[in-house]
């Protein structure tokens, strides 16, 4: 008899922003609606409810013994590479008999790059029409920031991939916490490289404290530099591409579970 596929467990960073936490919970619910035959649950590693342990307990109560965890995270920072495996090992000890595997972080992926490009067009007012002269636009891609240089390098990698073939004057990087350059320094660098039109693009999935901080810092810098046009783009959001990408990561993890 063929064993059923593992359940899907979504792991989030956690945020002090209730709107961001609810966006995550809505995302998990939408995945469940799209895949009614698959047990789906989600929880946070810190700060927000429900905690990951509660999500695991919910699956166990539904009779699940095998699950594949997908980190709803863009880069392989400490949460994805350290906190998630530790949390899952703790849940395995708490619920004897369960087994699990976990998938890769989400970015950078062609689908996400396409969404980032769409957010840029929206910020520039060119969505749904032929893009304007992108050669005059510099993008500042702003990541979360980490003490892990490999995680920060992934943001630089995403910036390079976003720049390739899309016609922008350049795509620079900055970080909102824990790493340099910060947003004002990143904007300074864009100007030194000749930028006169800049779009600040947050590299975040959902709204929250950090994306709000990115916007506030960009607006503060722009107020002090009226000679430079600065626009702020929206976060990626719970778009269909993100839903499909999570399932792609789940299928990768589920396949490794079967091997």
């Amino acid at each position: 008899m063929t064993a059923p596929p593992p359940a899907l467990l979504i792991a989030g960073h956690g945020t002090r922003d209730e709107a961001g936490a609810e966006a995550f919970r809505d995302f998990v619910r939408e995945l469940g609606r799209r895949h009614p035959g698959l047990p789906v649950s989600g929880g946070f590693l810190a700060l927000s409810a429900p905690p990951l342990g509660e999500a695991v307990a919910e699956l166990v109560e539904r009779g699940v013994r095998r699950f594949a965890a997908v980190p709803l995270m863009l880069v392989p920072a400490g949460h994805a590479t350290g906190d998630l495996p530790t949390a899952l090992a703790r849940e395995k000890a708490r619920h004897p008999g369960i087994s699990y595997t976990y998938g890769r972080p989400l970015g950078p992926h062609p689908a996400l790059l396409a969404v980032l490009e769409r957010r840029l067009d929206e910020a520039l007012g060119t969505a749904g029409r032929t893009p304007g002269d992108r050669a005059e636009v510099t993008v500042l891609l702003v990541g979360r920031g980490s003490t892990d240089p490999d995680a920060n390098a992934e943001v630089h990698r995403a910036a390079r991939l976003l720049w390739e073939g899309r016609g922008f004057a350049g795509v620079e990087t900055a970080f909102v916490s824990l790493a340099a350059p910060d947003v004002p320094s990143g904007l300074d660098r864009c100007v030194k490289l000749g930028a006169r039109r800049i779009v600040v693009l947050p590299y975040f999935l959902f709204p929250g404290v950090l994306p709000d901080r990115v916007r506030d810092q960009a607006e503060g810098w722009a107020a002090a530099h009226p000679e430079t046009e600065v626009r702020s783009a929206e976060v990626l959001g719970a778009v269909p591409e993100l839903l499909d990408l999570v399932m792609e990561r789940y299928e990768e993890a589920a396949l490794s579970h079967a091997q």
Side-chain angles (χ1 to χ4, degrees), residues 136-138 187 189-198 228:
E136 297 180 356
V137 176
T138 298
L187 289 165
R189 174 175 170 77
C190 290
V191 170
K192 289 176 182 177
L193 292 171
R196 291 295 177 266
R197 300 183 69 202
I198 304 171
T228 303

Side-chain angles (χ1 to χ4, degrees), residues 6 66 68 100-103 249-259:
R66 300 165 63 245
Y100 63 85
T101 187
Y102 49 90
R249 292 289 189 257
Y250 161 76
E251 288 164 5
E252 291 173 357
L255 180 62
S256 69
H257 208 315
Q259 291 175 346

Side-chain angles (χ1 to χ4, degrees), residues 11 28-29 31 33 53 55 67 71 93 102 129 131 143 148-149 153-154 172 193 214 242 252 254 256:
V28 173
R29 286 190 285 264
L31 276 171
R33 284 191 289 268
F67 59 86
Y102 49 90
R129 304 195 303 273
D148 181 348
E154 284 296 300
E172 299 297 316
L193 292 171
V214 172
L242 181 59
E252 291 173 357
S256 69

Side-chain angles (χ1 to χ4, degrees), residues 106-107 109 111-112 240-250:
L106 303 176
H109 185 280
L112 294 185
E241 293 94 332
L242 181 59
L243 290 156
D244 292 342
L245 177 54
V246 167
M247 291 308 298
E248 181 179 319
R249 292 289 189 257
Y250 161 76

Side-chain angles (χ1 to χ4, degrees), residues 192-247:
K192 289 176 182 177
L193 292 171
R196 291 295 177 266
R197 300 183 69 202
I198 304 171
V199 179
V200 177
L201 178 61
Y203 193 40
F204 291 84
L205 294 173
F206 301 130
V209 173
L210 294 182
D212 287 347
R213 188 181 301 168
V214 172
R215 182 177 290 272
D216 289 346
Q217 291 180 358
E219 290 177 352
W221 188 94
H225 300 80
E227 71 282 1
T228 303
E229 179 186 346
V230 178
R231 300 191 183 196
S232 293
E234 297 297 328
V235 296
L236 286 156
V239 291
E241 293 94 332
L242 181 59
L243 290 156
D244 292 342
L245 177 54
V246 167
M247 291 308 298

Side-chain angles (χ1 to χ4, degrees), residues 7-204:
L8 170 57
L9 175 68
I10 307 294
H13 279 284
T15 174
R16 291 184 175 88
D17 182 85
E18 180 55 28
E22 185 59 22
F24 171 91
R25 293 189 287 262
D26 281 344
F27 185 84
V28 173
R29 286 190 285 264
E30 179 60 22
L31 276 171
R33 284 191 289 268
R34 284 180 169 230
H35 304 277
L38 177 68
V40 178
S41 189
F44 295 98
L45 291 167
L47 300 175
S48 308
L52 191 70
E54 186 175 308
V56 172
E58 177 195 339
L59 290 173
V60 171
E61 288 173 5
R62 293 162 65 181
V64 169
R65 290 296 178 268
R66 300 165 63 245
F67 59 86
V70 174
L72 203 64
M73 304 167 194
L74 291 168
V75 301
H79 276 314
T81 59
D83 296 342
L84 178 56
T86 298
L88 292 176
R90 184 168 56 246
E91 295 309 313
K92 183 174 175 62
R94 186 175 294 162
H95 303 283
I98 68 169
S99 63
Y100 63 85
T101 187
Y102 49 90
R104 296 184 290 149
L106 303 176
H109 185 280
L112 294 185
L113 295 171
V115 178
L116 290 172
E117 184 177 13
R118 192 159 75 234
R119 294 291 178 252
L120 289 169
D121 284 341
E122 291 166 356
L124 291 166
T126 56
R129 304 195 303 273
T130 301
D133 188 3
R134 291 180 172 184
E136 297 180 356
V137 176
T138 298
V139 178
L140 183 64
L141 183 70
V142 183
R144 175 180 295 267
S146 172
T147 56
D148 181 348
D150 288 335
N152 297 330
E154 284 296 300
V155 181
H156 283 273
R157 180 168 173 248
R160 176 69 192 196
L161 291 171
L162 182 63
W163 176 77
E164 288 280 357
R166 289 181 172 83
F168 293 104
V171 180
E172 299 297 316
T173 54
F175 301 94
V176 74
S177 65
L178 299 175
D182 59 14
V183 174
S185 297
L187 289 165
D188 288 341
R189 174 175 170 77
C190 290
V191 170
K192 289 176 182 177
L193 292 171
R196 291 295 177 266
R197 300 183 69 202
I198 304 171
V199 179
V200 177
L201 178 61
Y203 193 40
F204 291 84

